[in-house]
């Protein structure tokens, strides 16, 4: 009885951890290039809507996820253009992206609200294993390949990368757009696998948790995987324990724990692992 | 650079007229893009904007709704102007509004305060509630190095569930028609409104006063000087002995408190009860970021920008009712406006000068213009 309960909690925690993992891995790469994207919530909700709509229309959930990746990438491209080319404030642009994503998906998604989805993915799908594999691959690329060195250097010292004759802007564009595609898939997993349906604003703050996981993980893909499943389990517990405790204090829990965890992590390690140039627009010929 | 008779050149501080022109251009661009989105949704843009204009500006009954929406935006927005001037990224106005509403509800329904003192006590409690909610992320940043963007956001969600828990649980009133809310406030706890509008004027007065007070604080006081110094050059501020903890705490007491007052206005002036958190704040805390950004760091300019965002919120209502669009349509406007505003930011550091045949005038000599355009001289 208790064993079954625990097992069930773990399985559901992994199921909810999968979307978090995909989104957090994307943010790790974007931030490693020196660009903060606070639009994760917006990109996820757009991905959730796009995946649901196409999966519903075509009956092919994987096709839906592919579209979600494309939509996430497109949304991230907007952020990239505004903050890399126009050198606008990254925080404000990310917030704008979240507002736009929530508004746009609610507007366009209205006629899909409450429709059934016949072809769904299981909660623990190949995308769960794929996410873990991806975490390992991204870790390898980041620390053991030339691409990884370029990506990390772009986030640490863009001027040095520029001096080597490499294109800082291109690296950042690629990293941000790649991050958007992963966030889109993360959102899509919510609407075709975790809770196969479309409701406006169905990301309920998971995008922000994915950003917190990025910080918690010190911008390391493998640690991001750990964080994603921990927070997935925590989020799931906040539903499970509702038999005994009022739902609202439980729903607060993941957000309160996020603050506590960040306080412990950042205090112990200082600002360990923060890419030096994070959040600073790059201008050629400066510094 | 020369475009016909006009010279485009760099400058250090943009003039007010140029800032206004660029901002208007950005907003116009956002409204055009929004029109394209409405069109793809199946609503012709001209029809949408026609409905909005007729339903807000040219409707005697609806026009006060612009002011009604502008009140919380002004209070929270002025607070954010101050926070942003100190480089504290307070994204938590939404939660601070909810805490203000909660504190005011406690005073209205559960405190033994005599009737004559009820309203002042509600405003005081709301200010304290919002301020405390704003202080937590400030302390977390300065004592534990927790990024304030994340912590203020998390505090929004915590506040949301707190209010939701109160109205479903301990504070639940006896009357329930599928929706949970507290008992209605007694008459003494209701903020008076202008005639038969929803404009609760005492809160409006507070907002205008606060804008003036923050303008004075920033321009004329030592604390204001320290806040500006910390925002413009944190390193120099530190060497000059500016205590970041003290400055940030002062800023967040005022910003959080102001947002708290906005929450008091919503429950005391509009709903007369605590209810679902998404009904108390329709996203005012997030939209206040646009109010502050559009005001370019000026508390007095926030009066105008709050009115403009009030118009956007009123438009959202009109579109929801007249065109059956989802309430989130306001977010489409807000997101696009914010994007276009920050995207056009760099145009502020340029100016146009009318100089027909300028090649003969020494001031517009080509080499000088070219030199000032070199990438290195950027920013």
């Amino acid at each position: 009885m208790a064993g079954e309960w625990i097992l069930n909690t773990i399985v559901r925690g992994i199921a909810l951890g999968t979307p978090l993992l995909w989104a957090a891995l994307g943010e790790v790469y974007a931030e490693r290039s020196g660009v903060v994207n606070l639009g994760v919530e917006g990109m996820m909700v757009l991905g959730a809507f796009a995946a649901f709509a196409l999966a519903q229309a075509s009956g092919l959930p994987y096709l839906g996820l592919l579209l979600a990746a494309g939509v996430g990438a497109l949304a991230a491209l907007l952020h990239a253009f505004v903050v890399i080319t126009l050198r606008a404030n990254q925080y404000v642009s990310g917030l704008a992206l979240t507002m736009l994503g929530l508004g746009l998906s609610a507007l366009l998604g209205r006629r899909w609200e409450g429709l059934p989805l016949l072809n769904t993915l299981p909660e623990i799908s190949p995308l769960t294993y794929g996410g873990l594999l991806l975490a390992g691959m991204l870790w390898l690329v980041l620390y053991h390949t030339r691409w990884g060195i370029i990506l990390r250097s772009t986030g640490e010292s863009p001027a040095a990368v520029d001096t080597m004759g490499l294109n800082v802007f291109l690296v950042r564009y690629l990293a941000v757009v790649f991050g958007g595609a992963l966030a889109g898939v993360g959102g899509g997993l919510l609407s075709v696998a975790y809770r196969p349906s479309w409701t406006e604003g169905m990301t309920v703050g998971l995008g922000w948790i994915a950003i917190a996981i990025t910080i918690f993980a010190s911008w390391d893909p493998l640690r991001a995987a750990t964080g994603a499943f921990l927070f997935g389990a925590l989020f799931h517990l906040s539903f499970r324990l509702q038999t005994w405790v009022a739902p609202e204090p439980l729903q607060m829990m993941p957000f309160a724990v996020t603050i506590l965890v960040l306080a412990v992590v950042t205090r112990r390690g200082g600002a360990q692992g923060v890419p030096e140039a994070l959040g600073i627009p790059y201008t050629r010929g400066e510094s | 650079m020369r475009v016909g008779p006009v010279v485009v050149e760099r400058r250090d501080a943009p003039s007010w007229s140029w800032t206004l022109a660029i901002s208007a251009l950005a907003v116009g661009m956002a409204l055009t893009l929004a029109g394209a989105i409405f069109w793809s949704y199946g609503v012709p843009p001209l029809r949408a904007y026609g409905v909005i204009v007729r339903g807000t500006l040219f409707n005697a009954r609806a026009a006060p709704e612009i002011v009604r929406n502008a009140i919380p935006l002004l209070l929270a927005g002025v607070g954010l102007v101050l926070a942003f001037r100190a480089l504290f990224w307070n994204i938590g106005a939404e939660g601070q509004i909810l805490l203000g509403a909660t504190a005011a509800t406690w005073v209205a329904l559960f405190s033994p305060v005599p009737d004559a003192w009820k309203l002042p006590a509600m405003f005081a409690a709301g200010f304290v509630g919002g301020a405390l909610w704003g202080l937590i992320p400030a302390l977390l940043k300065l004592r534990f190095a927790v990024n304030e963007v994340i912590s203020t956001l998390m505090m929004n969600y915590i506040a949301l569930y707190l209010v939701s828990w109160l109205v479903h649980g301990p504070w639940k009133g006896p009357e329930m028609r599928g929706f949970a809310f507290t008992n209605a406030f007694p008459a003494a706890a209701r903020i008076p409104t202008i005639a038969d509008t929803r404009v609760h004027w005492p809160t409006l007065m507070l907002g205008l006063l606060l804008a003036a007070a923050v303008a004075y604080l920033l321009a004329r006081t030592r604390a204001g000087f320290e806040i500006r110094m910390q925002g413009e050059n944190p390193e120099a501020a530190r060497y000059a002995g500016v205590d970041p903890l003290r400055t940030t705490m002062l800023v967040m007491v005022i910003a959080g408190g102001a947002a708290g007052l906005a929450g008091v206005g919503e429950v005391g002036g509009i709903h007369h009860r605590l209810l679902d958190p998404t009904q108390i704040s329709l996203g005012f805390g997030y939209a206040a970021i646009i109010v502050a950004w559009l005001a370019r760091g000026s508390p007095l300019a926030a009066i105008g920008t709050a009115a403009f965002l009030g118009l956007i919120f009123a438009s959202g209502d009109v579109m929801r009712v007249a065109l059956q669009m989802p309430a989130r349509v306001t977010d489409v406007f807000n997101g696009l406006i914010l994007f276009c505003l920050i995207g056009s930011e760099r145009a502020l550091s340029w100016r146009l000068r009318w100089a027909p045949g300028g090649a003969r005038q020494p001031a517009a000599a080509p080499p000088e213009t070219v030199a000032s355009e070199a990438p290195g001289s950027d920013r």
Side-chain angles (χ1 to χ4, degrees):
Chain A
M1 208 34 204
E4 193 184 325
W5 193 89
I6 292 170
L7 186 72
N8 204 336
T9 304
I10 292 173
V11 170
R12 297 279 289 171
I14 291 173
L16 188 52
T18 306
L20 281 172
L21 173 60
W22 282 77
L25 286 177
E27 186 69 6
V28 165
Y29 260 47
E31 294 202 5
R32 278 289 186 167
S33 82
V35 180
V36 178
N37 189 351
L38 295 187
V40 178
E41 180 87 359
M43 298 187 294
M44 278 181 87
V45 80
L46 281 172
F49 161 62
F52 180 84
L54 188 59
Q56 216 261 356
S58 68
L60 301 168
Y62 285 105
L63 199 63
L65 287 178
L66 203 64
L67 180 68
V71 167
L74 207 64
L77 186 65
L78 182 64
H79 178 69
F81 175 70
V82 170
V83 304
I84 300 170
T85 302
L86 298 179
R87 273 170 275 159
N89 185 291
Q90 299 182 2
Y91 288 159
V92 184
S93 171
L95 286 170
L97 186 55
T98 291
M99 287 182 191
L100 189 60
L102 286 169
L104 206 55
S105 61
L107 198 63
L108 301 178
R110 198 177 210 192
R111 58 196 78 162
W112 306 87
E113 196 104 18
L115 290 179
L117 186 64
L118 295 177
N119 278 286
T120 62
L121 291 181
E123 283 189 335
I124 299 195
S125 64
L127 271 298
T128 305
Y129 308 110
L132 277 170
L133 197 68
L134 187 68
M137 273 165 52
L138 291 181
W139 180 86
L140 267 178
V141 168
L142 192 62
Y143 294 110
H144 295 283
T145 68
R146 188 180 138 78
W147 289 358
I149 295 172
I150 295 171
L151 180 66
R152 281 184 289 143
S153 315
T154 307
E156 295 291 342
S157 170
V161 172
D162 203 1
T163 317
M164 294 193 313
L166 296 162
N167 192 335
V168 172
F169 301 96
L170 182 67
V171 175
R172 289 192 167 175
Y173 260 95
L174 289 176
V176 172
V177 169
F178 176 69
L182 295 199
V185 173
L189 284 167
L190 286 175
S191 67
V192 301
Y194 183 72
R195 194 174 296 157
S197 61
W198 163 252
T199 38
E200 116 170 28
M202 68 181 295
T203 39
V204 294
L206 288 169
W208 301 110
I209 300 278
I211 296 171
I213 290 172
T214 308
I215 302 173
F216 161 79
S218 307
W219 296 268
D220 176 319
L222 288 181
R223 292 181 62 175
T226 320
F229 291 123
L230 280 177
F231 275 97
L234 192 65
F235 244 96
H236 175 66
L237 269 182
S238 71
F239 298 118
R240 284 286 275 196
L241 297 175
Q242 287 180 17
T243 335
W244 299 285
V245 190
E248 293 89 1
L250 286 173
Q251 284 166 309
M252 263 179 218
M253 188 176 64
F255 300 100
V257 170
T258 303
I259 296 182
L260 285 178
V261 164
L262 287 186
V264 172
V265 168
T266 50
R267 191 194 181 140
R268 224 190 23 211
Q272 179 196 32
V274 190
E276 194 78 13
L278 189 63
I280 306 164
Y282 179 64
T283 314
R284 287 197 96 164
E286 248 187 27
S287 73
Chain B
M1 193 172 71
R2 167 171 282 278
V3 184
V6 179
V7 176
V8 181
E9 55 190 18
R10 293 197 56 82
R11 75 156 122 224
D12 293 331
S15 71
W16 269 108
S17 56
W18 182 244
T19 307
L20 212 61
I22 291 293
S23 306
L25 212 65
V27 170
M29 169 118 178
L31 295 184
T32 311
L33 289 171
I37 289 171
F38 300 150
W39 184 65
S40 73
Y41 179 73
V43 176
L46 284 180
R47 174 152 169 256
Y49 286 119
V51 166
I52 287 176
V53 170
R54 260 178 285 123
T56 55
L57 295 170
F58 294 97
N59 182 327
R61 290 180 63 85
E65 279 298 289
I66 300 174
V67 184
R68 168 259 180 280
N69 281 298
I71 296 171
L73 290 165
L74 173 62
L75 281 160
V78 169
L80 289 188
V81 164
L82 189 65
F84 294 167
R85 284 295 283 267
L87 278 194
F88 189 84
W89 288 98
N90 176 28
I91 316 296
E94 189 81 359
Q96 291 145 18
I97 290 174
L98 292 177
L99 254 287
T102 307
T105 304
W106 181 80
V107 171
L109 291 179
F110 306 105
S111 77
V113 176
D115 281 2
W117 288 96
K118 212 110 204 188
L119 279 177
M122 279 164 68
F123 278 112
F127 186 91
V128 172
L132 288 177
W133 213 245
L135 270 179
I136 296 172
L139 290 172
L140 283 168
K141 178 182 183 173
L142 291 151
R143 284 278 173 264
F144 298 93
V146 176
N147 182 307
E148 75 266 32
V149 175
I150 302 290
S151 61
T152 50
L153 257 161
M154 298 293 135
M155 300 285 287
N156 288 347
Y157 284 95
I158 296 174
L160 191 124
Y161 290 118
L162 175 72
V163 171
S164 186
W165 174 66
L166 286 172
V167 298
H168 283 101
W171 288 5
K172 188 167 79 178
E175 2 138 44
M176 271 199 53
R177 287 170 227 97
F179 296 98
F181 34 73
T182 64
N183 284 336
F185 289 3
R190 299 182 180 200
I191 306 171
T193 52
I194 298 176
D196 45 60
T197 68
R198 298 205 288 173
V199 177
H200 36 106
W201 58 268
T203 326
L204 177 63
M205 289 297 138
L206 272 178
L208 295 173
L209 266 173
L210 186 83
V214 170
Y216 179 82
L217 172 84
L218 276 171
R220 293 290 159 83
T221 65
R222 186 191 159 84
F225 176 72
E226 292 191 346
I227 289 168
R228 282 185 288 143
M229 198 166 174
Q230 182 175 315
E232 279 151 31
N233 194 339
E235 287 288 299
R238 216 156 34 95
Y239 282 119
V242 175
D243 178 1
L245 183 67
R246 208 183 53 200
T247 325
T248 310
M249 280 177 59
L250 173 69
V251 161
M252 283 314 291
V253 164
I254 299 176
L261 294 179
V264 179
E266 292 311 292
V267 289
I270 308 277
H271 307 291
H272 305 131
R273 50 168 61 85
L274 192 68
L275 66 173
D276 191 81
T278 55
Q279 301 278 316
I280 298 169
S281 179
L282 313 163
F284 292 134
Y286 298 106
I289 296 165
I290 310 180
V291 170
W293 205 262
L294 196 54
R296 314 269 175 202
S298 155
L300 292 175
I303 298 171
T305 59
F308 171 67
L309 262 292
L311 172 67
I312 297 283
F313 272 86
S315 306
D317 273 348
V318 171
M319 297 182 81
R320 193 168 49 81
V321 175
L323 302 168
Q324 280 91 48
M325 291 172 115
R328 284 272 191 195
V329 67
T330 320
D331 276 343
V332 175
F333 275 125
N334 287 344
L336 288 172
I337 291 172
L338 207 44
F339 260 128
C340 291
L341 269 182
I342 58 171
S344 67
E345 200 101 302
R346 300 194 50 74
L348 291 180
S349 49
W350 299 85
R351 86 172 137 199
L352 302 176
R353 200 157 48 79
W354 179 254
R360 271 161 296 162
Q361 294 172 6
E368 206 178 310
T369 320
V370 171
S372 68
E373 265 181 81
S377 68
D378 230 322
R379 267 159 68 106

